[in-house]
Amino acid sequence: MSRVKIGVIGLGKIAQLKHLHYLFESKKFEVEAISDLSSTLLEMVGEKYGISNRFKDYESMLNLQLDVVMVFTHDHEKQIVDILNSGKHVFVEKPLCWTVQEARRIQEAETRSGKKVMIGYMKRFMPIYQELKEKLDNCNDIKLIKIHTFASGAKNLPESHIVFKDKSLKGMENNLLDSIISRIMEENKLSVEDAYNYKMLLELGIHNLNLIVSLLGEPVKIDYCDFWTTRAVRTDSWGKENVKSHKMFLCILEFPNNLKCIWEMGAFFDGKLEWDDSITIHEFEEETTINFPNPFIRDLPIRVEHKTLVNRSHVFNQESIYHPDAFQCQLNYLYEWITAKTEPITSTTEGIRDIKLISNIIKRKV
């Protein structure tokens, strides 16, 4: 088996906990080089995995012979465009970028270079996705769909899940946050508060939005949207407040055939409860809930709950399904996409569509 040569930009939490772990567990990839602004992270991660090619400036890394560059930074339009211009494919963690204008510039670079971008919507590659799609395609009596995400317990990681950190870059991160918010405000004509609401949906809500739209098609109407906080904690940084004030979100989306979806979300990463992320399909005589695992912990099962009526008796079944981790499934697809030279299903076209949808949802609230 010919290994795909990988370069990695950005060595933050999700890169360390999931992407790098599974890249080195797989025999399909060879990580040739890593890049990060932090010398500390370059040394720690480089030593852990035995990677000798380490770059603080990613531009120098692009001179290497690489098949694809994986981007795990917080703000990455320029990086994606530079990678495409260097003649390499791109895998990028969601979201694709922050605004539609940025996304269109990325798509233009794709067209010029002939290379492609794959977005890391990992739920699309879970085996249960296909089962869910078949269920929805064959069901004629769905009453309601509910998406529920309470992002809690993100810091409650097993001892085996070690994350290297570098707090010296905090000032730079705050400046980057200000830049992102300014660009969101300018393009969408939003207030500061709604720009942060928009950013929260792109970061925390984009996986489930992409999932449900890929299953049902684009919503025909946004019936309702609201944001509120459940704990009044003021800090100097809006980014901090977005978490510590426990931001809440509720939306009702209408899909074709008058199918409604209630989408609810809460961001309280400092909470002690387990990560709570699910999609429920309410039918006339059945109810099915798929509970997705904490994305920061490796190799957890998916829990499926099923309620129905059998011989006039209510029956409740629950099973834990151990598929390969969603990030592993995603990497397997990445390998197939690169080696078969096909079009990625989680493409820039989907990325642009999802950013537009979130912009429309925010404006419905405004």
Side-chain angles (χ1 to χ4, degrees), residues 139-195:
C139 182
N140 298 315
D141 198 17
I142 300 176
K143 302 303 182 185
L144 182 71
I145 292 179
K146 183 178 179 182
I147 300 171
H148 168 87
T149 305
F150 277 4
S152 179
K155 297 181 179 180
N156 302 334
L157 300 177
E159 292 183 1
S160 60
H161 286 49
I162 298 172
V163 179
F164 301 125
K165 299 179 181 180
D166 183 358
K167 295 184 179 180
S168 68
L169 299 179
K170 194 63 181 176
M172 186 183 300
E173 292 171 357
N174 289 336
N175 292 336
L176 180 61
L177 175 62
D178 291 341
S179 171
I180 292 169
I181 293 302
S182 295
R183 281 151 32 210
I184 292 171
M185 291 173 63
E186 180 178 359
E187 178 166 321
N188 296 279
K189 310 303 180 193
L190 298 175
S191 66
V192 172
E193 181 177 3
D194 282 317

Coordinates of all heavy atoms in Angstrom, one line a residue, residues 139-195:
C139 N -39.0 6.5 5.4 CA -40.0 6.8 6.4 C -41.0 7.8 5.8 O -40.5 8.9 5.4 CB -39.4 7.3 7.7 SG -40.6 7.6 9.0
N140 N -42.3 7.6 5.9 CA -43.3 8.5 5.3 C -44.1 9.2 6.4 O -45.1 9.9 6.1 CB -44.2 7.7 4.4 CG -43.5 7.1 3.2 OD1 -42.6 7.8 2.6 ND2 -43.8 5.9 2.8
D141 N -43.8 8.9 7.7 CA -44.6 9.5 8.7 C -43.8 10.1 9.8 O -44.1 9.9 11.0 CB -45.5 8.4 9.3 CG -46.7 8.9 10.0 OD1 -47.0 10.1 9.9 OD2 -47.3 8.2 10.8
I142 N -42.8 10.9 9.5 CA -42.0 11.6 10.5 C -42.8 12.8 11.0 O -43.3 13.7 10.2 CB -40.7 12.1 9.9 CG1 -39.9 10.9 9.4 CG2 -39.9 12.8 10.9 CD1 -38.6 11.2 8.7
K143 N -43.0 13.0 12.3 CA -43.7 14.1 12.8 C -42.8 15.3 13.2 O -43.2 16.4 13.0 CB -44.4 13.6 14.1 CG -45.4 12.5 13.9 CD -46.4 12.8 12.9 CE -47.4 11.7 12.8 NZ -48.4 11.9 11.7
L144 N -41.5 14.9 13.6 CA -40.6 16.0 14.1 C -39.2 15.4 14.2 O -39.0 14.2 14.5 CB -41.1 16.5 15.4 CG -40.2 17.6 16.1 CD1 -40.5 18.9 15.3 CD2 -40.6 17.8 17.6
I145 N -38.2 16.2 13.9 CA -36.8 15.9 14.1 C -36.3 16.9 15.1 O -36.6 18.1 15.1 CB -36.0 15.9 12.8 CG1 -36.5 14.7 11.9 CG2 -34.5 15.8 13.1 CD1 -35.8 14.7 10.6
K146 N -35.5 16.4 16.0 CA -34.9 17.2 17.1 C -33.4 17.0 17.1 O -32.9 15.9 17.3 CB -35.5 16.9 18.4 CG -35.0 17.8 19.6 CD -35.7 17.5 20.9 CE -35.2 18.3 22.0 NZ -35.9 18.0 23.3
I147 N -32.7 18.1 17.1 CA -31.2 18.1 17.2 C -30.9 18.7 18.6 O -31.3 19.8 18.9 CB -30.5 18.9 16.1 CG1 -30.8 18.2 14.8 CG2 -29.0 18.9 16.4 CD1 -30.3 19.1 13.6
H148 N -30.1 18.0 19.4 CA -29.8 18.5 20.8 C -28.3 18.4 21.0 O -27.7 17.4 20.8 CB -30.6 17.7 21.8 CG -30.2 17.9 23.2 ND1 -30.7 18.9 24.0 CD2 -29.2 17.2 24.0 CE1 -30.1 18.8 25.2 NE2 -29.2 17.8 25.2
T149 N -27.7 19.5 21.4 CA -26.3 19.5 21.7 C -26.1 20.4 23.0 O -26.3 21.6 22.9 CB -25.4 20.1 20.6 OG1 -25.7 19.4 19.4 CG2 -24.0 20.0 21.0
F150 N -25.7 19.8 24.1 CA -25.2 20.5 25.2 C -23.7 20.2 25.4 O -23.3 19.1 25.7 CB -25.9 20.0 26.5 CG -27.3 20.7 26.7 CD1 -27.8 21.6 25.7 CD2 -28.0 20.5 27.8 CE1 -29.0 22.2 25.9 CE2 -29.2 21.1 28.0 CZ -29.7 22.0 27.1
A151 N -22.9 21.2 25.0 CA -21.4 21.0 25.0 C -20.9 21.2 26.4 O -20.4 22.2 26.8 CB -20.8 22.0 24.0
S152 N -20.9 20.1 27.1 CA -20.5 20.1 28.5 C -19.4 19.0 28.7 O -19.4 18.0 28.0 CB -21.6 19.8 29.5 OG -21.2 19.8 30.8
G153 N -18.5 19.2 29.7 CA -17.6 18.2 30.0 C -16.4 18.1 29.1 O -15.7 17.0 29.0
A154 N -16.2 19.1 28.3 CA -15.1 19.0 27.3 C -13.7 18.9 27.9 O -12.7 18.5 27.3 CB -15.1 20.2 26.4
K155 N -13.6 19.3 29.2 CA -12.3 19.3 29.9 C -12.2 18.0 30.7 O -11.1 17.8 31.3 CB -12.2 20.5 30.8 CG -12.2 21.8 30.1 CD -12.0 23.0 31.0 CE -11.9 24.3 30.3 NZ -11.8 25.5 31.1
N156 N -13.2 17.2 30.8 CA -13.2 16.0 31.6 C -12.6 14.8 30.7 O -13.3 13.9 30.3 CB -14.6 15.6 32.1 CG -15.2 16.7 33.0 OD1 -14.5 17.5 33.6 ND2 -16.5 16.8 33.0
L157 N -11.3 14.9 30.5 CA -10.7 13.9 29.6 C -10.0 12.8 30.4 O -9.5 13.0 31.5 CB -9.7 14.6 28.7 CG -10.2 15.7 27.8 CD1 -9.1 16.3 27.0 CD2 -11.3 15.1 26.9
P158 N -9.9 11.6 29.9 CA -9.2 10.5 30.5 C -7.7 10.9 30.7 O -7.2 11.7 29.9 CB -9.3 9.3 29.6 CG -10.5 9.6 28.7 CD -10.5 11.1 28.6
E159 N -7.0 10.3 31.6 CA -5.6 10.6 31.8 C -4.7 10.2 30.6 O -3.7 10.8 30.4 CB -5.1 9.8 33.0 CG -5.6 10.3 34.4 CD -5.0 9.5 35.6 OE1 -4.2 8.7 35.3 OE2 -5.5 9.8 36.7
S160 N -5.2 9.3 29.8 CA -4.5 8.9 28.6 C -4.5 10.0 27.5 O -3.7 9.9 26.5 CB -5.0 7.6 28.0 OG -6.4 7.7 27.7
H161 N -5.4 10.9 27.6 CA -5.6 11.9 26.6 C -4.8 13.2 27.0 O -5.4 14.2 27.5 CB -7.1 12.3 26.4 CG -7.9 11.2 25.7 ND1 -7.8 9.9 26.0 CD2 -8.8 11.3 24.7 CE1 -8.6 9.2 25.2 NE2 -9.2 10.0 24.4
I162 N -3.5 13.1 26.8 CA -2.7 14.2 27.2 C -2.6 15.3 26.0 O -2.5 15.0 24.9 CB -1.2 13.7 27.4 CG1 -1.2 12.7 28.6 CG2 -0.3 14.9 27.7 CD1 0.1 12.0 28.8
V163 N -2.8 16.6 26.4 CA -2.7 17.7 25.5 C -1.6 18.6 25.9 O -1.6 19.2 27.0 CB -4.1 18.4 25.4 CG1 -4.0 19.6 24.4 CG2 -5.2 17.5 25.0
F164 N -0.7 18.8 25.0 CA 0.4 19.8 25.2 C -0.2 21.2 25.0 O -0.9 21.4 24.0 CB 1.6 19.6 24.3 CG 2.2 18.2 24.5 CD1 2.4 17.3 23.4 CD2 2.6 17.8 25.8 CE1 3.0 16.1 23.6 CE2 3.2 16.5 25.9 CZ 3.3 15.7 24.8
K165 N 0.2 22.2 25.8 CA -0.3 23.5 25.6 C 0.9 24.5 25.7 O 1.9 24.3 26.2 CB -1.3 23.9 26.7 CG -2.5 23.0 26.8 CD -3.5 23.3 27.9 CE -4.7 22.4 27.9 NZ -5.6 22.8 29.0
D166 N 0.6 25.7 25.1 CA 1.5 26.8 25.1 C 0.8 28.1 25.4 O 0.2 28.7 24.4 CB 2.3 26.9 23.8 CG 3.4 28.0 23.9 OD1 3.5 28.7 24.9 OD2 4.1 28.2 22.9
K167 N 0.7 28.6 26.6 CA -0.1 29.7 27.0 C 0.6 31.1 26.6 O 0.0 32.1 26.7 CB -0.3 29.7 28.5 CG -1.2 28.6 28.9 CD -1.5 28.6 30.4 CE -2.4 27.5 30.8 NZ -2.7 27.5 32.3
S168 N 1.8 31.0 26.1 CA 2.5 32.2 25.7 C 1.9 32.9 24.4 O 2.2 34.1 24.2 CB 4.0 31.9 25.4 OG 4.1 31.1 24.2
L169 N 1.1 32.2 23.7 CA 0.5 32.7 22.5 C -0.9 33.3 22.8 O -1.6 33.7 21.8 CB 0.3 31.6 21.4 CG 1.6 31.0 21.0 CD1 1.3 29.9 19.9 CD2 2.6 32.0 20.4
K170 N -1.3 33.5 24.0 CA -2.6 33.9 24.4 C -2.9 35.3 23.8 O -4.0 35.6 23.3 CB -2.8 34.0 25.9 CG -4.2 34.1 26.3 CD -5.1 32.9 25.9 CE -6.5 33.1 26.3 NZ -7.3 31.9 25.8
G171 N -1.9 36.2 23.9 CA -2.2 37.6 23.3 C -2.4 37.5 21.8 O -3.3 38.2 21.3
M172 N -1.7 36.7 21.1 CA -1.9 36.6 19.7 C -3.2 36.0 19.4 O -3.9 36.4 18.4 CB -0.8 35.7 19.1 CG -0.8 35.6 17.6 SD 0.5 34.4 17.0 CE 2.0 35.2 17.6
E173 N -3.7 35.0 20.2 CA -5.0 34.4 20.0 C -6.1 35.5 20.2 O -7.1 35.5 19.4 CB -5.2 33.3 20.9 CG -4.2 32.1 20.6 CD -4.3 31.0 21.7 OE1 -5.0 31.2 22.7 OE2 -3.6 30.0 21.5
N174 N -6.0 36.3 21.2 CA -7.0 37.4 21.4 C -7.0 38.3 20.2 O -8.1 38.8 19.8 CB -6.7 38.1 22.7 CG -6.9 37.3 23.9 OD1 -7.7 36.3 23.9 ND2 -6.3 37.6 25.0
N175 N -5.9 38.7 19.7 CA -5.9 39.6 18.5 C -6.5 38.9 17.3 O -7.3 39.6 16.5 CB -4.4 40.0 18.1 CG -3.8 40.9 19.2 OD1 -4.5 41.6 19.9 ND2 -2.5 40.9 19.3
L176 N -6.3 37.6 17.1 CA -6.9 36.9 16.0 C -8.4 36.8 16.2 O -9.2 37.0 15.2 CB -6.3 35.5 16.0 CG -6.9 34.5 14.9 CD1 -6.6 35.1 13.5 CD2 -6.3 33.1 15.1
L177 N -8.9 36.6 17.4 CA -10.3 36.6 17.7 C -10.9 38.0 17.3 O -12.0 38.0 16.7 CB -10.6 36.3 19.2 CG -12.0 36.4 19.7 CD1 -12.9 35.4 18.9 CD2 -12.1 36.2 21.2
D178 N -10.3 39.1 17.7 CA -10.8 40.4 17.3 C -10.9 40.5 15.8 O -11.9 41.1 15.3 CB -9.9 41.5 17.9 CG -10.0 41.6 19.4 OD1 -11.0 41.1 20.0 OD2 -9.0 42.2 20.0
S179 N -9.9 40.0 15.1 CA -10.0 40.1 13.6 C -11.1 39.3 13.0 O -11.8 39.7 12.1 CB -8.6 39.6 13.1 OG -8.7 39.4 11.6
I180 N -11.3 38.1 13.6 CA -12.4 37.2 13.1 C -13.7 37.9 13.3 O -14.6 38.0 12.4 CB -12.4 35.9 13.8 CG1 -11.1 35.1 13.3 CG2 -13.6 35.1 13.5 CD1 -10.9 33.8 14.1
I181 N -14.0 38.4 14.5 CA -15.2 39.1 14.8 C -15.5 40.3 13.9 O -16.6 40.5 13.4 CB -15.3 39.4 16.3 CG1 -15.3 38.2 17.1 CG2 -16.5 40.3 16.6 CD1 -16.5 37.2 16.8
S182 N -14.4 41.1 13.7 CA -14.6 42.3 12.8 C -15.0 41.9 11.4 O -15.8 42.5 10.8 CB -13.2 43.0 12.8 OG -12.9 43.5 14.1
R183 N -14.4 40.8 10.9 CA -14.7 40.4 9.5 C -16.1 39.9 9.4 O -16.9 40.1 8.5 CB -13.7 39.3 9.0 CG -12.4 40.0 8.6 CD -11.2 39.1 8.7 NE -11.4 37.7 8.6 CZ -10.6 36.8 9.3 NH1 -9.6 37.3 10.1 NH2 -10.7 35.5 9.1
I184 N -16.6 39.1 10.5 CA -18.0 38.6 10.5 C -18.9 39.8 10.6 O -19.9 39.8 9.8 CB -18.2 37.7 11.7 CG1 -17.4 36.4 11.5 CG2 -19.6 37.4 11.9 CD1 -17.3 35.5 12.7
M185 N -18.6 40.8 11.4 CA -19.5 41.9 11.6 C -19.6 42.7 10.2 O -20.7 43.1 9.8 CB -19.0 42.9 12.7 CG -19.1 42.3 14.0 SD -18.2 43.4 15.3 CE -19.2 44.9 15.2
E186 N -18.5 42.9 9.6 CA -18.5 43.7 8.4 C -19.2 43.1 7.2 O -20.1 43.7 6.6 CB -17.0 44.0 7.9 CG -16.9 44.8 6.7 CD -15.4 45.0 6.3 OE1 -14.5 44.6 7.0 OE2 -15.2 45.7 5.3
E187 N -19.0 41.8 7.0 CA -19.7 41.1 5.9 C -21.2 41.0 6.1 O -22.0 41.1 5.2 CB -19.0 39.8 5.6 CG -19.7 39.1 4.4 CD -19.0 37.9 3.9 OE1 -17.7 38.0 3.8 OE2 -19.6 36.9 3.5
N188 N -21.6 40.7 7.4 CA -23.0 40.3 7.6 C -23.8 41.5 8.3 O -24.9 41.3 8.6 CB -23.0 39.1 8.6 CG -22.5 37.9 7.9 OD1 -23.1 37.2 7.1 ND2 -21.2 37.5 8.2
K189 N -23.1 42.6 8.5 CA -23.8 43.8 9.1 C -24.4 43.4 10.5 O -25.6 43.6 10.7 CB -24.8 44.3 8.2 CG -24.4 44.6 6.7 CD -23.2 45.5 6.7 CE -22.8 45.7 5.2 NZ -21.4 46.4 5.1
L190 N -23.6 42.8 11.3 CA -24.0 42.3 12.6 C -23.5 43.2 13.7 O -22.4 43.8 13.6 CB -23.7 40.9 12.8 CG -24.2 39.8 11.8 CD1 -23.6 38.5 12.1 CD2 -25.7 39.8 11.9
S191 N -24.1 43.1 14.9 CA -23.6 43.7 16.1 C -22.5 42.8 16.6 O -22.3 41.6 16.2 CB -24.7 43.8 17.2 OG -25.2 42.5 17.6
V192 N -21.8 43.3 17.6 CA -20.7 42.4 18.2 C -21.3 41.2 18.8 O -20.8 40.1 18.6 CB -20.0 43.2 19.3 CG1 -19.0 42.3 20.1 CG2 -19.2 44.4 18.7
E193 N -22.4 41.3 19.5 CA -23.1 40.1 20.2 C -23.5 39.1 19.1 O -23.2 37.9 19.3 CB -24.3 40.6 21.0 CG -24.9 39.4 21.7 CD -26.1 39.9 22.6 OE1 -26.4 41.1 22.6 OE2 -26.7 39.0 23.3
D194 N -24.1 39.6 18.1 CA -24.6 38.6 17.1 C -23.4 38.0 16.2 O -23.5 36.9 15.7 CB -25.6 39.3 16.1 CG -27.0 39.3 16.8 OD1 -27.4 38.4 17.4 OD2 -27.6 40.4 16.7
A195 N -22.3 38.8 16.1 CA -21.2 38.2 15.5 C -20.6 37.0 16.3 O -20.2 36.0 15.7 CB -20.1 39.3 15.3

